[in-house]
Amino acid sequence: MTEHSQSPKRPAHPNKKRDTPSQQSAHQTPKRTPSKQPPSKQPQSADDDILDFAKVNYLTVTRQQHDQRVDNFLLGRLKGLPRSHVYNMIRSDEIRVNGKRCKPHDKLQRNDVVRIAPIKLATREKPVISPDFAQSLLERIVYEDEGLIVLNKPSGMAVHGGSGESFGVIEAMREVTGKKYLELVHRIDKDTSGLLMIAKKRSTLKTLQEHLREKTLQKTYLCLVVGWISSETQTIDKPLLKYTLPATQEGKSGERRVKVDVKSEDSKPSQTQINVLQKFELNGQKVSLIEAKPLTGRTHQIRVHLASIGHPLLGDDKYNPNVAKGDKSVRRLCLHAYQLEIPEYETITAELPVDMQNLLENQHD
């Protein structure tokens, strides 16, 4: 008979030892109860903006973030914080999920509580968007429905803040539209122009990213490359490896690069399908206009693959040796994301930007 079932007036048996509290608890079935946060640590909804980054913040995962990776969740809430800083916080145990350590690729579940340590960052202020810039950004929307915005991004604008950028397309669009939930479906390089997908709903984000994983969403690029490519149509199938420039290269040490590497176990299988649309001369230099379809989605894939067959992109300061040596005859990276083929959507296109069109108009056959 337990202590709670005895009558208060009935004395305990003189020869029977009463169970200690620890023994009593051992006899009982333990009950799991949700841990309660102290009043100062009550979590806020992850749908709301963080107001004070200088203190510990607790965010409750909602339906909008269910099944999202930890790193993507943080990048969406710590806008302007460099990606490297976010990953350092995860590795340094400054990010916890339900009180436990986590990894960048861990998936969050609804009602999880994410703890974020204090962040000291001078660039946390909201971006200041001029009325003219805001209008020009809105005019670049080429498609919009209840769940998706497709923007024709200009060359030279990063898709998100960080790494020296106070803000990018996604921060500017959140500020301009006033929408709390806007997330990048994918990324394109800062110097690449063209179609960028931005989800207005979590369900749309998950659907489109699933299409990207399953390779049922086709992105097509237009680019100008050095030389005349002999084979009109081909698939470049070469594994790619990310690496960091050594400290011996002054001014560029620590920069990330990609190269073809058939020997490394860390290389990723990569395929790019190309089709030559036109061959001409530009300022005495042979140039080809190429349609490129990445069949995989690796960083700098089109740029590295074309450079690997001896036809680097015009204006590519990373993979075109002539540009690296100071050739400024072309002022931009000649890579434009011009078409999206998405299941259950009409084909979405964006015309070549004026600066690339001008290069084509100055050609000599």
Side-chain angles (χ1 to χ4, degrees), residues 278-333:
Q278 194 175 353
K279 298 177 182 178
F280 58 95
E281 288 191 4
L282 180 66
N283 300 325
Q285 180 184 32
K286 291 182 177 180
V287 174
S288 299
L289 173 64
I290 303 296
E291 178 186 78
K293 293 184 177 183
L295 306 182
T296 49
R298 312 301 180 199
T299 301
H300 298 172
Q301 177 175 314
I302 294 173
R303 300 164 67 177
V304 177
H305 269 170
L306 284 163
S308 75
I309 63 170
H311 299 281
L313 272 65
L314 297 187
D316 192 341
D317 62 354
K318 289 181 171 62
Y319 305 107
N320 185 332
N322 291 331
V323 177
K325 293 175 182 176
D327 180 6
K328 302 296 183 183
S329 58
V330 177
R331 297 287 181 175
R332 61 154 292 173
L333 174 68

Coordinates of all heavy atoms in Angstrom, one line a residue, residues 278-333:
Q278 N 24.7 30.1 -81.6 CA 25.3 31.1 -82.5 C 26.8 31.2 -82.3 O 27.3 31.1 -81.2 CB 24.6 32.5 -82.3 CG 24.8 33.4 -83.5 CD 24.0 34.7 -83.2 OE1 23.2 34.8 -82.3 NE2 24.3 35.7 -84.1
K279 N 27.5 31.4 -83.4 CA 28.9 31.7 -83.4 C 29.2 33.0 -84.1 O 28.7 33.2 -85.2 CB 29.7 30.5 -84.1 CG 29.6 29.2 -83.4 CD 30.3 28.1 -84.2 CE 30.1 26.7 -83.6 NZ 30.8 25.7 -84.4
F280 N 30.1 33.8 -83.5 CA 30.3 35.1 -84.1 C 31.7 35.6 -83.5 O 32.3 35.0 -82.7 CB 29.2 36.1 -83.9 CG 28.9 36.3 -82.4 CD1 29.4 37.4 -81.7 CD2 28.0 35.5 -81.7 CE1 29.1 37.6 -80.4 CE2 27.7 35.7 -80.4 CZ 28.3 36.8 -79.7
E281 N 32.1 36.8 -84.0 CA 33.2 37.5 -83.5 C 32.8 38.8 -82.8 O 31.9 39.5 -83.2 CB 34.2 37.8 -84.6 CG 34.9 36.5 -85.1 CD 36.1 36.9 -86.1 OE1 36.4 38.1 -86.2 OE2 36.7 36.0 -86.6
L282 N 33.5 39.0 -81.7 CA 33.2 40.2 -80.9 C 34.6 40.9 -80.6 O 35.4 40.3 -79.9 CB 32.5 39.9 -79.6 CG 32.2 41.0 -78.6 CD1 31.2 41.9 -79.3 CD2 31.7 40.5 -77.3
N283 N 34.8 42.1 -81.2 CA 36.1 42.8 -81.0 C 37.2 41.9 -81.4 O 38.3 41.9 -80.7 CB 36.2 43.3 -79.6 CG 35.1 44.3 -79.2 OD1 34.6 45.0 -80.0 ND2 34.7 44.2 -77.9
G284 N 37.1 41.2 -82.5 CA 38.1 40.3 -83.0 C 38.3 39.0 -82.3 O 39.2 38.2 -82.6
Q285 N 37.4 38.7 -81.3 CA 37.5 37.5 -80.6 C 36.4 36.6 -80.9 O 35.2 37.0 -81.0 CB 37.5 37.8 -79.0 CG 37.5 36.6 -78.2 CD 37.4 36.9 -76.7 OE1 36.7 37.9 -76.3 NE2 38.0 36.2 -75.8
K286 N 36.7 35.3 -81.1 CA 35.6 34.3 -81.4 C 34.8 34.1 -80.2 O 35.3 33.9 -79.1 CB 36.2 33.0 -81.9 CG 36.9 33.1 -83.3 CD 37.4 31.7 -83.7 CE 38.0 31.8 -85.1 NZ 38.5 30.5 -85.6
V287 N 33.4 34.1 -80.4 CA 32.5 33.9 -79.2 C 31.4 33.0 -79.6 O 30.9 33.0 -80.8 CB 32.0 35.3 -78.8 CG1 30.9 35.2 -77.7 CG2 33.1 36.2 -78.3
S288 N 30.9 32.2 -78.7 CA 29.7 31.4 -79.0 C 28.6 31.8 -78.0 O 28.8 32.0 -76.8 CB 30.0 29.9 -78.8 OG 31.0 29.5 -79.7
L289 N 27.4 31.8 -78.5 CA 26.2 32.0 -77.6 C 25.6 30.6 -77.4 O 25.3 29.8 -78.3 CB 25.1 32.8 -78.4 CG 23.7 32.9 -77.7 CD1 23.8 33.6 -76.3 CD2 22.7 33.6 -78.6
I290 N 25.6 30.2 -76.1 CA 25.3 28.9 -75.6 C 24.0 28.8 -74.8 O 23.7 29.7 -74.0 CB 26.4 28.3 -74.7 CG1 27.7 28.4 -75.5 CG2 26.1 26.9 -74.3 CD1 27.8 27.5 -76.7
E291 N 23.2 27.8 -75.1 CA 22.1 27.4 -74.2 C 22.6 26.3 -73.3 O 23.0 25.3 -73.8 CB 20.9 27.0 -75.0 CG 19.7 26.6 -74.1 CD 18.6 26.0 -75.0 OE1 18.7 24.8 -75.4 OE2 17.6 26.7 -75.3
A292 N 22.5 26.5 -72.0 CA 23.0 25.5 -71.0 C 21.9 25.1 -70.1 O 21.2 25.9 -69.5 CB 24.2 26.1 -70.2
K293 N 21.8 23.8 -69.9 CA 20.8 23.2 -69.0 C 21.6 22.4 -67.9 O 22.1 21.3 -68.3 CB 19.8 22.3 -69.7 CG 18.9 23.1 -70.7 CD 17.9 22.2 -71.3 CE 16.9 23.0 -72.2 NZ 15.8 22.2 -72.7
P294 N 21.6 22.9 -66.7 CA 22.3 22.0 -65.6 C 21.4 20.9 -65.3 O 20.2 21.1 -64.8 CB 22.5 23.0 -64.5 CG 21.4 24.1 -64.7 CD 21.2 24.2 -66.2
L295 N 21.9 19.7 -65.4 CA 21.1 18.5 -65.0 C 21.3 18.1 -63.5 O 20.6 17.4 -63.0 CB 21.5 17.3 -65.9 CG 21.4 17.5 -67.4 CD1 21.8 16.2 -68.2 CD2 20.0 18.0 -67.8
T296 N 22.3 18.8 -63.0 CA 22.5 18.7 -61.5 C 22.7 20.2 -61.0 O 22.9 21.1 -61.8 CB 23.8 17.9 -61.2 OG1 24.9 18.4 -62.0 CG2 23.6 16.4 -61.4
G297 N 22.6 20.4 -59.7 CA 22.6 21.7 -59.2 C 23.8 22.1 -58.4 O 23.7 22.4 -57.2
R298 N 25.0 22.0 -58.9 CA 26.2 22.3 -58.2 C 26.6 23.8 -58.3 O 26.3 24.5 -59.2 CB 27.4 21.5 -58.7 CG 27.1 20.0 -58.9 CD 26.7 19.3 -57.6 NE 26.4 17.9 -57.9 CZ 25.7 17.1 -57.1 NH1 25.1 17.6 -56.0 NH2 25.5 15.9 -57.4
T299 N 27.3 24.3 -57.2 CA 27.8 25.6 -57.2 C 28.7 25.9 -58.4 O 29.6 25.1 -58.7 CB 28.6 25.9 -55.9 OG1 27.7 25.7 -54.8 CG2 29.1 27.3 -55.9
H300 N 28.5 27.0 -59.1 CA 29.3 27.4 -60.3 C 29.4 26.3 -61.4 O 30.3 26.3 -62.2 CB 30.7 27.8 -59.8 CG 30.8 28.9 -58.9 ND1 31.9 29.3 -58.2 CD2 29.8 29.8 -58.4 CE1 31.7 30.4 -57.4 NE2 30.4 30.7 -57.6
Q301 N 28.4 25.5 -61.4 CA 28.5 24.3 -62.3 C 28.7 24.7 -63.8 O 29.6 24.2 -64.5 CB 27.2 23.5 -62.2 CG 27.2 22.3 -63.2 CD 26.0 21.4 -62.9 OE1 25.7 21.0 -61.8 NE2 25.3 21.0 -64.0
I302 N 27.9 25.6 -64.3 CA 28.0 25.9 -65.8 C 29.3 26.6 -66.0 O 30.0 26.3 -67.0 CB 26.8 26.9 -66.2 CG1 25.5 26.1 -66.1 CG2 27.0 27.4 -67.6 CD1 24.3 27.0 -66.3
R303 N 29.7 27.5 -65.2 CA 31.0 28.2 -65.3 C 32.2 27.3 -65.4 O 33.1 27.4 -66.2 CB 31.1 29.3 -64.2 CG 30.0 30.3 -64.2 CD 29.9 31.0 -62.9 NE 31.0 31.9 -62.7 CZ 31.1 32.7 -61.6 NH1 30.1 32.8 -60.7 NH2 32.1 33.5 -61.5
V304 N 32.2 26.3 -64.4 CA 33.4 25.4 -64.3 C 33.4 24.4 -65.5 O 34.4 24.1 -66.0 CB 33.4 24.7 -63.0 CG1 34.5 23.7 -62.9 CG2 33.5 25.8 -61.8
H305 N 32.2 23.9 -65.8 CA 32.1 22.9 -66.9 C 32.6 23.5 -68.2 O 33.3 22.9 -69.0 CB 30.7 22.4 -67.0 CG 30.5 21.1 -66.2 ND1 29.2 20.6 -65.9 CD2 31.3 20.3 -65.5 CE1 29.4 19.5 -65.2 NE2 30.6 19.3 -64.9
L306 N 32.1 24.7 -68.5 CA 32.5 25.3 -69.8 C 34.0 25.7 -69.8 O 34.6 25.5 -70.8 CB 31.6 26.5 -70.1 CG 30.2 26.1 -70.6 CD1 29.2 27.3 -70.5 CD2 30.3 25.6 -72.0
A307 N 34.5 26.2 -68.7 CA 35.9 26.5 -68.6 C 36.7 25.2 -68.8 O 37.8 25.2 -69.4 CB 36.2 27.1 -67.3
S308 N 36.2 24.0 -68.3 CA 36.9 22.8 -68.4 C 37.1 22.2 -69.8 O 38.0 21.4 -70.0 CB 36.2 21.7 -67.5 OG 35.1 21.2 -68.1
I309 N 36.2 22.7 -70.7 CA 36.4 22.3 -72.1 C 37.0 23.4 -73.0 O 37.0 23.3 -74.2 CB 35.0 21.8 -72.7 CG1 34.0 23.0 -72.8 CG2 34.4 20.6 -71.9 CD1 32.8 22.7 -73.6
G310 N 37.6 24.4 -72.3 CA 38.3 25.4 -73.0 C 37.5 26.6 -73.4 O 38.0 27.4 -74.3
H311 N 36.3 26.7 -72.9 CA 35.4 27.8 -73.3 C 34.8 28.5 -72.1 O 33.6 28.4 -71.9 CB 34.3 27.3 -74.2 CG 34.8 26.6 -75.5 ND1 35.2 27.4 -76.6 CD2 35.0 25.3 -75.8 CE1 35.6 26.6 -77.5 NE2 35.5 25.3 -77.1
P312 N 35.7 29.3 -71.4 CA 35.1 30.0 -70.2 C 34.2 31.1 -70.6 O 34.2 31.6 -71.7 CB 36.4 30.6 -69.5 CG 37.4 30.7 -70.7 CD 37.1 29.5 -71.6
L313 N 33.3 31.5 -69.6 CA 32.4 32.5 -69.9 C 33.0 33.9 -70.0 O 34.0 34.2 -69.3 CB 31.3 32.6 -68.8 CG 30.1 31.7 -68.9 CD1 30.5 30.2 -68.9 CD2 29.1 32.0 -67.9
L314 N 32.5 34.7 -70.9 CA 33.0 36.1 -71.0 C 32.7 36.8 -69.6 O 31.6 36.7 -69.1 CB 32.3 36.9 -72.1 CG 32.5 36.4 -73.5 CD1 31.8 37.4 -74.5 CD2 34.0 36.2 -73.9
G315 N 33.6 37.6 -69.1 CA 33.4 38.4 -67.9 C 33.5 37.6 -66.6 O 33.2 38.1 -65.6
D316 N 34.0 36.3 -66.7 CA 34.0 35.5 -65.5 C 35.4 35.7 -64.8 O 36.4 35.2 -65.2 CB 33.9 34.0 -65.8 CG 33.7 33.1 -64.6 OD1 34.0 33.6 -63.5 OD2 33.2 32.0 -64.8
D317 N 35.3 36.4 -63.7 CA 36.6 36.8 -63.0 C 37.1 35.6 -62.1 O 38.2 35.7 -61.5 CB 36.4 38.0 -62.1 CG 35.4 37.8 -61.0 OD1 34.7 36.8 -61.0 OD2 35.2 38.8 -60.2
K318 N 36.4 34.5 -62.0 CA 36.9 33.4 -61.3 C 37.5 32.3 -62.1 O 38.4 31.6 -61.7 CB 35.7 32.8 -60.4 CG 35.4 33.7 -59.2 CD 34.2 33.0 -58.4 CE 34.0 33.8 -57.1 NZ 33.5 35.2 -57.3
Y319 N 36.9 32.0 -63.3 CA 37.3 30.9 -64.1 C 37.7 31.2 -65.5 O 38.1 30.3 -66.2 CB 36.1 29.9 -64.1 CG 35.6 29.5 -62.7 CD1 34.4 29.9 -62.2 CD2 36.4 28.6 -61.9 CE1 34.0 29.6 -61.0 CE2 36.0 28.3 -60.7 CZ 34.8 28.8 -60.2 OH 34.4 28.4 -58.9
N320 N 37.7 32.5 -65.9 CA 38.3 32.9 -67.2 C 39.7 33.5 -66.9 O 39.8 34.6 -66.3 CB 37.4 33.9 -67.8 CG 37.8 34.3 -69.2 OD1 39.0 34.3 -69.5 ND2 36.8 34.7 -70.0
P321 N 40.7 32.8 -67.3 CA 42.1 33.3 -67.0 C 42.3 34.7 -67.6 O 43.1 35.5 -67.0 CB 43.0 32.3 -67.7 CG 42.1 31.5 -68.7 CD 40.8 31.6 -68.1
N322 N 41.7 35.1 -68.7 CA 42.0 36.4 -69.3 C 41.4 37.5 -68.4 O 42.0 38.6 -68.2 CB 41.3 36.5 -70.7 CG 42.1 35.6 -71.7 OD1 43.3 35.4 -71.6 ND2 41.3 35.2 -72.7
V323 N 40.2 37.3 -67.8 CA 39.6 38.2 -66.9 C 40.5 38.3 -65.7 O 40.7 39.4 -65.1 CB 38.2 37.9 -66.6 CG1 37.6 38.8 -65.6 CG2 37.3 37.8 -67.9
A324 N 40.9 37.2 -65.2 CA 41.8 37.2 -64.0 C 43.0 38.0 -64.2 O 43.6 38.5 -63.3 CB 42.1 35.7 -63.6
K325 N 43.5 38.1 -65.4 CA 44.7 38.8 -65.7 C 44.5 40.3 -66.0 O 45.4 41.0 -66.3 CB 45.4 38.2 -67.0 CG 46.0 36.8 -66.7 CD 46.6 36.2 -68.0 CE 47.1 34.8 -67.7 NZ 47.6 34.1 -69.0
G326 N 43.2 40.7 -65.9 CA 42.9 42.1 -66.1 C 42.1 42.5 -67.3 O 41.9 43.7 -67.5
D327 N 41.7 41.6 -68.1 CA 40.9 41.9 -69.3 C 39.5 42.4 -68.9 O 38.7 41.7 -68.3 CB 40.7 40.6 -70.2 CG 39.9 40.9 -71.4 OD1 39.5 42.1 -71.7 OD2 39.6 40.0 -72.1
K328 N 39.2 43.7 -69.2 CA 37.9 44.3 -68.8 C 37.1 44.7 -70.0 O 36.2 45.6 -69.9 CB 38.2 45.6 -67.9 CG 39.0 45.4 -66.7 CD 38.3 44.5 -65.7 CE 39.1 44.3 -64.4 NZ 38.4 43.4 -63.4
S329 N 37.3 44.0 -71.1 CA 36.6 44.3 -72.3 C 35.1 44.0 -72.2 O 34.2 44.6 -72.8 CB 37.1 43.5 -73.5 OG 37.1 42.1 -73.3
V330 N 34.7 43.0 -71.3 CA 33.3 42.7 -71.0 C 33.1 43.0 -69.5 O 33.9 42.4 -68.7 CB 33.0 41.3 -71.3 CG1 31.5 40.9 -70.9 CG2 33.2 41.0 -72.8
R331 N 32.2 43.8 -69.2 CA 32.0 44.3 -67.8 C 31.2 43.5 -66.9 O 31.1 43.8 -65.7 CB 31.4 45.7 -67.9 CG 32.3 46.7 -68.6 CD 33.5 47.1 -67.8 NE 34.3 48.1 -68.4 CZ 35.4 48.7 -67.9 NH1 35.7 48.3 -66.7 NH2 36.1 49.5 -68.5
R332 N 30.6 42.4 -67.4 CA 29.8 41.5 -66.5 C 30.0 40.1 -66.8 O 30.5 39.7 -67.9 CB 28.3 41.9 -66.7 CG 27.8 41.7 -68.1 CD 26.3 41.5 -68.1 NE 25.9 40.2 -67.4 CZ 24.7 39.8 -67.2 NH1 23.7 40.6 -67.5 NH2 24.4 38.7 -66.6
L333 N 29.6 39.2 -65.9 CA 29.5 37.8 -66.2 C 28.4 37.5 -67.1 O 27.2 37.9 -66.9 CB 29.3 37.0 -64.8 CG 29.1 35.5 -65.0 CD1 30.4 34.8 -65.4 CD2 28.6 34.9 -63.6

